Amino acid sequence: MRTVRTATEMQQVALSHKVGLVPTMGAFHEGHLSLMRAARAECASVVVSLFVNPTQFAANEDLELYPRDEERDARLATEVGVDVLFVPSAEELYPEGFATWVDVEEAGGEAAARPGHLRGVATVCVKLFNIVRPDVAFFGQKDAQQAAVLRRVVRDLNVDVELRVLPTVRDADGLALSSRNVYLSTAERAEALALPRALETGRSAHVQGSDPIAAARAALNGLEPDYVEVIDVGDARVLAAAARVGSTRLIDNVVLEGELR
Ligand code: PAJ
């Protein structure tokens, strides 16, 4: 596996068709690795970007604290058969005078809870698409609204890339894998299980014809949600929630109708 640190070098790497890109912020877990494996299975060249994108964090969020271990990530990516690990610096992607943003008009859920977050995500992903020029890019259902926003960006701006959205990978007890789970103490981790359980309760309620939001809220077991909402993600409709456990903010969602592709 080759590690590349500048956009210029990345644009010059000879990649064979078809090219798959997996954008990440590192601290790899099985969720990230499942995207890399899907890319490996479908594509001739696999590029993984590792960049803790400062523009998607608000001033009061965990940018400084965010787990970083490039050596371990590089080892895991090599094991999966990734061809190129693209690790740009913040100065590389956001040089002096950077002033152009991809701002999707999105309401509710993460858009309301984290103003500016999805703008940062959309902007960095368009930059990565332009630098790597992938045929296919892989994202996780875990961040359903992020995937929905990126689908809209690709459609609205005629970006020549296909998106794939893959299922959320969970621990055996149901907690969605997340790089932020390392912040949880043992007690908090146990508390956090209320989030996937409440969403499952909401999904069952929906299947039986009652209100999934009310059912999920009632099952949160004391967790304070930022929101519990039904969100359209492409052709699918998901029940999504965000909640704080101690100082850690977790998000999760389950599909109510349709299929995430
Ligand atoms: P990050 O949180 O590192 O996630 C990288 C990709 O892995 C995203 O597409 C995310 O949805 C997916 N992912 C995370 N947890 C998952 C899980 N448990 N199961 C399946 N997939 C999972 O999302 C980002 O980084 C950033 O916002 C990024 C898109 C890289 C832009 O900076």
Side-chain angles (χ1 to χ4, degrees):
M1 187 182 70
R2 174 169 175 185
T3 297
V4 169
R5 296 186 193 276
T6 69
T8 311
E9 187 187 348
M10 188 66 240
Q11 282 166 322
Q12 285 164 355
V13 176
L15 298 168
S16 30
H17 184 81
K18 99 196 224 225
V19 176
L21 170 66
V22 183
T24 82
M25 299 203 300
F28 295 158
H29 51 64
E30 272 302 314
H32 297 115
L33 299 181
S34 73
L35 302 183
M36 293 178 211
R37 289 194 192 99
R40 184 70 284 165
E42 179 176 351
C43 302
S45 303
V46 177
V47 180
V48 172
S49 61
L50 192 178
F51 179 61
V52 183
N53 175 33
T55 65
Q56 67 187 76
F57 289 78
N60 61 339
E61 292 182 349
D62 58 343
L63 174 63
E64 301 306 326
L65 220 73
Y66 199 84
R68 291 167 172 87
D69 190 345
E70 184 186 323
E71 215 172 292
R72 173 180 171 275
D73 287 347
R75 199 172 61 240
L76 291 170
T78 303
E79 280 168 21
V80 176
V82 169
D83 299 299
V84 179
L85 190 63
F86 178 45
V87 195
S89 65
E91 295 71 36
E92 174 73 21
L93 288 198
Y94 299 106
E96 269 296 298
F98 182 90
T100 307
W101 298 95
V102 179
D103 202 352
V104 181
E105 293 174 9
E106 173 88 355
E110 292 300 291
R114 299 181 73 187
H117 168 67
L118 291 168
R119 177 179 90 150
V121 169
T123 302
V124 82
C125 285
V126 168
K127 287 173 67 71
L128 293 168
F129 295 157
N130 285 332
I131 294 167
V132 177
R133 303 195 141 276
D135 299 286
V136 195
F138 296 79
F139 294 91
Q141 181 203 322
K142 162 76 174 17
D143 301 277
Q145 214 176 347
Q146 164 171 288
V149 160
L150 292 171
R151 277 211 190 284
R152 186 141 338 141
V153 167
V154 163
R155 189 197 65 187
D156 290 353
L157 299 183
N158 307 89
V159 183
D160 193 12
V161 63
E162 265 184 64
L163 302 189
R164 305 257 185 279
V165 181
L166 285 116
T168 303
V169 178
R170 297 177 182 281
D171 264 334
D173 57 11
L175 189 68
L177 297 187
S178 163
S179 304
R180 290 190 167 95
N181 290 356
V182 298
Y183 301 150
L184 299 170
S185 68
T186 312
E188 286 172 341
R189 201 181 168 307
E191 261 181 76
L193 283 180
L195 183 60
R197 285 179 184 157
L199 289 169
E200 239 351 273
T201 304
R203 203 184 59 78
S204 307
H206 178 74
V207 169
Q208 283 152 22
S210 48
D211 178 7
I213 297 175
R217 279 190 176 278
L220 272 169
N221 206 18
L223 281 193
E224 257 323 302
D226 270 2
Y227 62 83
V228 181
E229 284 178 22
V230 174
I231 299 170
D232 286 327
V233 183
D235 298 332
R237 177 157 279 196
V238 304
L239 177 64
R244 216 165 280 278
V245 183
S247 55
T248 307
R249 184 174 185 276
L250 300 177
I251 64 171
D252 199 354
N253 68 88
V254 293
V255 177
L256 294 180
E257 279 161 34
E259 208 182 319
L260 280 151
R261 288 177 292 108

